[in-house]
Amino acid sequence: MNDTVKPVTPQNLATTTSWFRTAAPYIHSHRGATFVIAFDGETIDSQEFEPLLHDISILNSLGIKLVLVYGARPQIEASCIQQNVPVRYHSGLRVTDDVSLVIAKAAIGKLRLDIESKLSFGLPHTPMADARIRCISGNLVIARPAGIIDGVDLGHTGEVRRIDSEGINQQLAAGNIVLLPPLGYSLTGESFNVSAESIATEVATALRADKLIFIGHSNQAMPRELTVDEAQKTLSSHPSLPAAVKACKAGVTRVHILDRAINGVLLQELFSRDGAGTLVTATSFETTRQAVIDDVGGILELLQPLEEKGIVVKRSRELLEREIDHFTVMERDGSVVACAALYPYPENDMAELACLAVSNHYQSHGRGKQLLAVLEQSAQAQGINHLCVLTTQTAHWFLEQGFKPADIADLPVAKQALYNYHRNSRVFRKQLA
């Protein structure tokens, strides 16, 4: 028996089943999508690189269209040092003279062959042992010289002029992975050393990619989510942030920055709700909005555990559908993670807060308090200055939010008539104005 294979137990079966159910919506939504994945030369040299390629092969098997862009800075530098060729940078760009261009092309070419070899048919001794993965490269990036910057001639260092989107899409449509080196080619037949991040950004923009993913390493802790405005304030905190901001501004919906040191970081980021890296988006990753009929299933899922514990009154799907206009939801990556309802009684200058529920995964992140604040603003916008709530098990939380104990007689008359004496709920009230 292979000692490395874990025995099947009810516990790990349950874990696998739970993970698969969580990942299923993402597997469905990612199929047919286009991802551009960029990784630096340090990642290629790291022990995490082969597992990363295995995970990339899994993405390919799930029907995701992949463009891989790789860097080669440390490999080029090592070759230059070995051959006593000076290494020079200006404004973050390599100064590429004739000799260093020859060295760069050799180092980049070797890396391309190595990556193609690792992605070659079979991937023996891996979970994708029987997969047939075709990896295609070519002159798909048209470049021009970066020129002279601050009086410094960058030589054969270039910048992207155009992406051959048609050529890349033809390969993606055939199910091939497209592998792009940090090189571009001019219309006059010259070669230019181009930064991998620049190529990845331009490719993602030209292809209207669903995701642009940068994989590298940073010693600084990064937040899980950043809007473009937030990212611009911290551009120096990670080398990929400027490229992420540029891509978002150019129309790429989501840019992910991942740390290769996290085991399985690519799969964790793509197939779980919270991911494992940093997401940069043009708009907020999480929204609070008026509920719609399509949210009923998510609201029921949130309320069911609370109903079973007697914390909230059980509501049928039909009732929720009729009352959906009273609900506000917090949505995260297409899933409802919190909800609450507001039932106004304008004749009593009061509104009832009901069905406040937050997913177990987010109860320590202050979303209940955030949602309450939204509903308080909504009540005040309707000219209502008091909230009331009935609760059996969460009295302390409402007290912490400024509610005061009240009596049944303090409820709106219509609500008093519906009071369930069997539940014996405690009544709380809060003045908003």
Side-chain angles (χ1 to χ4, degrees), residues 1 4 78 128 165 173 245 248 266 292 296:
M1 180 177 177
T4 63
M128 299 299 293
S165 303
V245 169
C248 284
L266 184 59
V292 296
V296 169

Side-chain angles (χ1 to χ4, degrees), residues 18-76:
S18 176
W19 180 90
F20 208 88
R21 286 172 175 164
T22 302
Y26 300 97
I27 294 172
H28 174 71
S29 64
H30 293 336
R31 184 178 294 113
T34 299
F35 295 173
V36 177
I37 303 176
F39 40 85
D40 55 24
E42 289 83 1
T43 295
I44 296 174
D45 280 346
S46 71
Q47 62 183 4
E48 293 87 9
F49 188 54
E50 286 201 17
L52 172 63
L53 289 184
H54 298 164
D55 292 344
I56 286 172
S57 70
I58 292 173
L59 300 187
N60 176 254
S61 73
L62 292 173
I64 298 170
K65 300 173 184 177
L66 299 173
V67 179
L68 309 183
V69 185
Y70 66 92
R73 177 171 288 195
Q75 292 83 0
I76 295 173

Side-chain angles (χ1 to χ4, degrees), residues 110-290:
K110 181 181 184 303
L111 288 179
R112 193 189 85 180
L113 293 174
D114 289 345
I115 294 169
E116 289 176 349
S117 175
K118 293 180 188 299
L119 284 171
S120 63
F121 302 142
L123 289 172
H125 313 301
T126 77
M128 299 299 293
D130 297 322
R132 289 179 57 84
I133 298 173
R134 293 184 177 85
C135 183
I136 306 298
S137 190
N139 57 341
L140 298 166
V141 177
I142 294 86
R144 59 187 170 212
I148 299 171
I149 299 178
D150 301 326
V152 177
D153 188 348
L154 297 180
H156 299 285
T157 293
E159 58 186 29
V160 176
R161 178 177 180 180
R162 182 170 59 85
I163 300 297
D164 183 0
S165 303
E166 182 180 357
I168 294 175
N169 280 324
Q170 286 176 353
Q171 297 301 325
L172 296 178
N176 300 327
I177 293 177
V178 175
L179 178 65
L180 298 179
L183 289 173
Y185 308 94
S186 74
L187 299 177
T188 57
E190 298 174 273
S191 300
F192 293 99
N193 185 195
V194 183
S195 78
E197 285 186 341
S198 175
I199 290 176
T201 301
E202 296 295 337
V203 169
T205 302
L207 297 182
R208 299 180 182 274
D210 299 278
K211 292 183 183 293
L212 170 59
I213 301 169
F214 293 108
I215 301 176
H217 182 63
S218 174
N219 293 323
Q220 284 186 276
M222 292 277 287
R224 284 295 175 90
E225 301 149 22
L226 287 169
T227 63
V228 168
D229 290 340
E230 292 168 338
Q232 285 181 311
K233 297 175 184 177
T234 57
L235 287 179
S236 61
S237 62
H238 195 283
S240 295
L241 268 180
V245 169
K246 181 180 179 182
C248 284
K249 287 184 173 180
V252 179
T253 307
R254 294 185 173 184
V255 182
H256 303 255
I257 300 175
L258 309 184
D259 188 343
R260 64 173 179 267
I262 300 173
N263 182 35
V265 65
L266 184 59
L267 298 184
Q268 289 187 53
E269 180 71 5
L270 295 175
F271 298 104
S272 66
R273 184 179 294 169
D274 292 317
T278 296
L279 172 66
V280 183
T281 62
T283 57
S284 178
F285 182 55
E286 185 171 291
T287 59
T288 301
R289 58 172 175 78
Q290 170 70 47

Side-chain angles (χ1 to χ4, degrees), residues 73-111:
R73 177 171 288 195
Q75 292 83 0
I76 295 173
E77 286 185 357
S79 295
C80 285
I81 293 170
Q82 187 179 27
Q83 299 180 45
N84 296 315
V85 174
V87 176
R88 296 175 58 207
Y89 290 95
H90 180 73
S91 297
L93 297 173
R94 182 186 302 280
V95 178
T96 311
D97 58 20
D98 292 344
V99 176
S100 56
L101 177 63
V102 173
I103 293 173
K105 289 166 73 173
I108 291 168
K110 181 181 184 303
L111 288 179

